[in-house]
Amino acid sequence: MYHSQSVESYFAHCPGLKIVIPRGPKQAKGLLLAAIRDPDPVLFFEPKVLYRHIFENADGDVPMGDYELPLGQAETIREGTDITL
């Protein structure tokens, strides 16, 4: 994909819009449900690379029930002393 085909940065600079880009299937379900239930406008982008990616760890397990991730909060993957991912 070329940079000209990535419109996420364009919409990220539009006031009043929330942008959601999941990194895996678990986040996709939780963020999609949160985006649907949010009273403000939310754009949900699905990276095409996720369709062909094989998830072999526990992060790929999607809960069967109602599962929602909070919008506007970053997920801490690994804490560090110099940088946090």
Side-chain angles (χ1 to χ4, degrees):
M1 180 182 284
Y2 300 104
H3 289 288
S4 62
Q5 296 172 340
S6 298
V7 296
E8 295 90 347
S9 64
Y10 174 78
F11 289 112
H13 292 89
C14 294
L17 287 179
K18 294 180 182 178
I19 309 300
V20 174
I21 306 173
R23 64 177 177 87
K26 185 176 181 180
Q27 288 74 25
K29 179 179 180 179
L31 291 172
L32 181 60
L33 289 175
I36 291 170
R37 295 173 181 156
D38 195 271
D40 298 323
V42 179
L43 293 177
F44 188 89
F45 289 99
E46 293 179 309
K48 289 195 289 186
V49 70
L50 292 180
Y51 293 131
R52 291 179 285 285
H53 188 75
I54 298 173
F55 294 93
E56 297 178 357
N57 56 8
D59 190 44
D61 296 336
V62 179
M64 294 298 293
D66 193 21
Y67 175 70
E68 188 174 334
L69 288 174
L71 296 178
Q73 291 183 355
E75 180 182 9
T76 301
I77 309 266
R78 183 174 41 188
E79 285 192 37
T81 57
D82 297 324
I83 190 171
T84 298
L85 300 176

